[in-house]
Amino acid sequence: AYGPRCAVLAEAERGLVALDLNTGEQRWRFNAWRGRDFRLKPAGPLLLVTCGDSAVYGIDADSGELAWRYTARATFEIEPCAFRDRMLAVGGPPSGRDGRVFCTELASGRFLWNHLLDVGIVGPIVGVSPNVAVVPCRHRSGGAVLIGLDLDTGQELWRRWLEGWGEYSLLPVDDFVVACGAGGLVTAIDARDGQIRWSHSFAATDPDDVPRRLEPVLRGGALFVPADTVYV
């Protein structure tokens, strides 16, 4: 992750270190209480950090000082999300039996709401206009499902089951989200009601030929989709 004029690196179980991009010298160091697997998310002047313990940390990206820390009776192992003036974090292990979404103020870490789901959360939450948090989940039956939550209240707005198999990644675009799956299925879903806007199913992908990263990339109105080859 990047802060002001520095690169922030995770040192296995030791913590975080910020290196000056011009000189390579250490600018600051941060050690969590029991951190082991760091996940970082730049959010303006802050760096949001989870590391598998019971806290989400808001760190000043320039000085390394702790701006706030939110703790709960949960473990935070998935990368947090910064959307507008909110921070969203997943409580519980990835792909657990059920997951909980926590929401705080981004600037202060003050608790706003939490929402317990009856499905396991498998990846980072994404925020989508106008006011929706989209949560990637997997049902106990093995099926993939997206859940839309109201950003102000945490109320569930909709659920959308996804076809295909394996993992998938989300990309927010304006007022919809694009879900890219390992099985070659790409679907655009309206964030307001969960309805499908469009969908493409590419040739079936060999399980041994799945890219390591499934994130689609949007450039100049073109969507680059990774699969066994790259589709545009």
Side-chain angles (χ1 to χ4, degrees):
Y2 292 91
R5 303 174 300 282
C6 67
V8 182
L9 311 175
E11 294 186 311
E13 298 184 0
R14 297 180 58 187
L16 302 177
V17 58
L19 303 179
D20 190 289
L21 289 175
N22 294 321
T23 65
E25 295 180 354
Q26 177 180 312
R27 294 184 55 180
W28 54 259
R29 180 179 293 276
F30 173 81
N31 292 307
W33 180 40
R34 288 188 294 183
R36 61 182 186 273
D37 189 9
F38 288 87
R39 296 287 185 267
L40 314 178
K41 183 68 175 183
L46 293 178
L47 186 64
L48 303 179
V49 179
T50 59
C51 53
D53 63 6
S54 60
V56 181
Y57 302 87
I59 301 173
D60 186 294
D62 190 39
S63 67
E65 294 182 357
L66 182 65
W68 53 260
R69 179 179 62 189
Y70 173 75
T71 60
R73 292 184 177 179
T75 58
F76 296 97
E77 302 181 28
I78 295 176
E79 175 186 305
C81 168
F83 184 59
R84 295 188 173 175
D85 60 347
R86 305 294 169 85
M87 186 283 299
L88 298 159
V90 174
S95 302
R97 290 182 59 85
D98 42 40
R100 188 180 293 271
V101 179
F102 295 85
C103 180
T104 73
E105 290 182 347
L106 179 59
S108 66
R110 183 178 70 88
F111 171 78
L112 296 175
W113 55 260
N114 72 72
H115 184 86
L116 178 65
L117 300 174
D118 59 349
V119 291
I121 303 174
V122 297
I125 301 168
V126 297
V128 188
S129 297
N131 201 42
V132 180
V134 180
V135 188
C137 303
R138 181 176 294 115
H139 194 266
R140 296 171 186 175
S141 64
V145 59
L146 296 184
I147 297 178
L149 302 179
D150 185 282
L151 191 65
D152 289 330
T153 65
Q155 177 183 359
E156 184 171 323
L157 302 175
W158 51 262
R159 291 193 178 199
R160 167 58 59 183
W161 293 89
L162 298 179
E163 299 178 3
W165 51 268
E167 302 297 328
Y168 58 98
S169 182
L170 303 180
L171 174 69
V173 182
D174 297 328
D175 59 350
F176 64 96
V177 62
V178 176
C180 179
L185 182 68
V186 181
T187 306
I189 299 163
D190 195 302
R192 294 166 295 187
D193 54 17
Q195 296 300 309
I196 294 177
R197 287 196 178 182
W198 52 259
S199 181
H200 287 290
S201 182
F202 301 115
T205 306
D206 189 294
D208 295 328
D209 217 13
V210 174
R212 294 181 63 184
R213 296 178 63 90
L214 290 168
E215 291 87 347
V217 176
L218 182 65
R219 290 291 185 273
L223 190 65
F224 296 81
V225 179
D228 54 349
T229 185
V230 176
Y231 297 89
V232 181

